[in-house]
Amino acid sequence: MKVPFLDLKTPHQELEADLEAAFKRVLNSGWYILGKEVETFEAEFAEYCSVAHCVGIGNGLDAIHLLLLAYGIGQGDEVIVPANTFIATWLAVTYCGATPVPVEPDSATYNIDPLAIESAITARTAAIIPVHLYGQPADMDAINLIAQKHGLVVIEDAAQAQGARYRGHSACSLGNAATTSFYPAKNLGALGDGGAVLTNDNAVADKVRQLRNYGSKVKYQHDLLGYNSRLDELQAAFLTIKLRRLNAWNERRAEIADYYADKLAGCGIKLPYVPLWANPVWHLYVVQAEKRDELQNFLHQRDIETMIHYPVPPHMQECYTSSTYQGLPVTERLSRQILSLPIYHSMTLSQADVVIDAVRSYFQS
Ligand SMILES: *Cc1c(COP(=O)(O)O)cnc(C)c1O
């Protein structure tokens, strides 16, 4: 039995009739940018995240970029980012003219290590962007405490964590503001690109609304040097439908994660660690193995697709080689040892068994 890494088809087949009706509604409305569909989705997703404002953006990277601009972050500023993250978190900082300052992860949770943040703070530090990596919330109380002490803005990058909870509170409601992405493979994915900014801060929400739409509040009146980055009506209509399934789909991911944890315990790989205060949404199920490449090949030979998130950390990418980043040993070691096993709501337990049996037989051989 083949076990694909991802399945983007089944969720949309399950919702085919609703998605087609939404498509026809938008088609026949004659209105495709910044209309009722975006307003409806923004209201429902803000409520889902327990925040006052959701602003739909063209993608998750632009959401971080525009939010940093709304806070006035730019040239001369430093922004603390996880060393271990998708490169978008760093790029958004670079776009503003500010400098990303990487902080190592806790090697059990993979998230930014609060104990390592304080020594990275300088007089130029303006903000911290914790990422809820792989769907698990970062340790936000510890991060917020440091930020308050030093007067820093906290921006959650919740691209991988829609629906996750930290001490009972929703991801996207835990800092000054948050961003997310609706890239198709995320837990809440569109049928194309999309993103959002979430916040309780009225002024920040207003500024992001202006920045996403050519710096304009009133048509053809441009107060800011704005951008064009708007969630479109069609994607918003699809997302409203998919949002209603998000909790059920996340619960199913959690069942598979529990099943993996139970059946893979003690077999030789390092399993994900979940702190008591975290309710992760299992965007990815990441394990560690010393001979990772060998294990990955073994699984691929058995038709089991796996991936690595991420094989080359941002500070080692060609585009950042002109900046002199110190070695980041934890991040570099993780990039050699992590492996993402398949996990998605349409995965069957027999598919999970195929993965489990293969991993176990790798360690027995
Ligand atoms: C996907 C992702 C982004 C960027 O989202 P896009 O919509 O692809 O631009 C940002 N940060 C993290 C952690 C992500 O996983």
Side-chain angles (χ1 to χ4, degrees), residues 13-312:
Q13 286 169 337
E14 275 177 41
L15 296 170
E16 192 169 326
D18 289 349
L19 294 170
E20 282 184 0
F23 170 72
K24 285 198 178 134
R25 188 174 69 239
V26 175
L27 176 73
N28 293 322
S29 74
W31 192 276
Y32 308 110
I33 299 290
L34 296 184
K36 280 188 208 132
E37 302 289 344
V38 170
E39 275 172 32
T40 301
F41 175 71
E42 286 178 341
E44 290 192 15
F45 195 58
E47 192 184 332
Y48 180 84
C49 297
S50 307
V51 295
H53 309 282
C54 168
V55 185
I57 305 290
N59 58 67
L61 168 59
D62 286 355
I64 310 170
H65 178 211
L66 299 189
L67 183 54
L68 288 166
L69 292 176
Y71 278 110
I73 289 164
Q75 200 91 44
D77 289 327
E78 292 177 356
V79 176
I80 291 178
V81 293
N84 181 40
T85 181
F86 180 55
I87 197 163
T89 321
W90 286 48
L91 286 176
V93 175
T94 305
Y95 284 0
C96 299
T99 305
V101 174
V103 166
E104 290 266 49
D106 172 316
S107 65
T109 66
Y110 305 109
N111 273 322
I112 194 165
D113 181 357
L115 297 174
I117 291 177
E118 220 152 8
S119 59
I121 293 174
T122 71
R124 293 171 169 240
T125 308
I128 308 175
I129 312 184
V131 176
H132 305 312
L133 201 67
Y134 312 147
Q136 171 147 272
D139 188 358
M140 293 302 295
D141 282 356
I143 294 165
N144 284 329
L145 208 64
I146 296 165
Q148 272 156 26
K149 189 169 146 197
H150 296 271
L152 309 175
V153 171
V154 177
I155 293 172
E156 304 169 69
D157 177 347
Q160 304 187 357
Q162 294 127 345
R165 288 180 167 266
Y166 173 80
R167 297 187 195 279
H169 299 285
S170 298
C172 297
S173 74
L174 305 166
N176 295 92
T179 64
T180 196
S181 159
F182 305 119
Y183 178 75
K186 309 294 190 193
N187 291 41
L188 179 60
L191 279 77
D193 276 312
V197 164
L198 297 116
T199 186
N200 284 316
D201 188 321
N202 300 345
V204 166
D206 275 354
K207 195 125 184 215
V208 173
R209 277 184 203 285
Q210 218 175 328
L211 285 167
R212 76 173 170 180
N213 194 28
Y214 290 106
S216 167
K217 265 187 196 166
V218 178
K219 203 166 171 75
Y220 302 131
Q221 189 180 310
H222 305 275
D223 307 328
L224 302 171
L225 289 172
Y227 295 78
N228 173 6
S229 187
R230 305 165 296 212
L231 181 67
D232 66 67
E233 288 283 283
L234 195 53
Q235 297 307 334
F238 294 152
L239 285 167
T240 301
I241 291 163
K242 291 186 73 181
L243 177 59
R244 293 180 194 132
R245 292 292 176 91
L246 181 59
N247 285 345
W249 288 353
N250 280 343
E251 276 162 32
R252 175 65 184 163
R253 282 175 187 261
E255 275 170 31
I256 294 159
D258 286 346
Y259 194 69
Y260 273 150
D262 188 33
K263 306 269 171 162
L264 289 172
C267 82
I269 47 168
K270 189 167 177 207
L271 296 171
Y273 169 73
V274 182
L276 274 178
W277 39 257
N279 289 100
V281 289
W282 302 104
H283 176 60
L284 295 169
Y285 192 89
V286 177
V287 298
Q288 289 175 54
E290 237 155 78
K291 295 186 182 160
R292 189 269 318 275
D293 292 344
E294 205 181 275
L295 171 61
Q296 186 174 38
N297 284 334
F298 186 92
L299 296 175
H300 283 198
Q301 277 158 18
R302 282 154 188 78
D303 258 352
I304 298 164
E305 282 179 8
T306 60
M307 289 186 75
I308 297 160
H309 298 89
Y310 296 90
V312 181

Side-chain angles (χ1 to χ4, degrees), residues 331-352:
T331 300
E332 288 166 30
R333 177 180 62 75
L334 287 176
S335 74
R336 292 188 299 268
Q337 299 190 340
I338 48 178
L339 186 67
S340 308
L341 302 181
I343 192 163
Y344 37 93
H345 86 268
S346 62
M347 193 175 175
T348 62
L349 290 187
S350 4
Q351 282 178 312

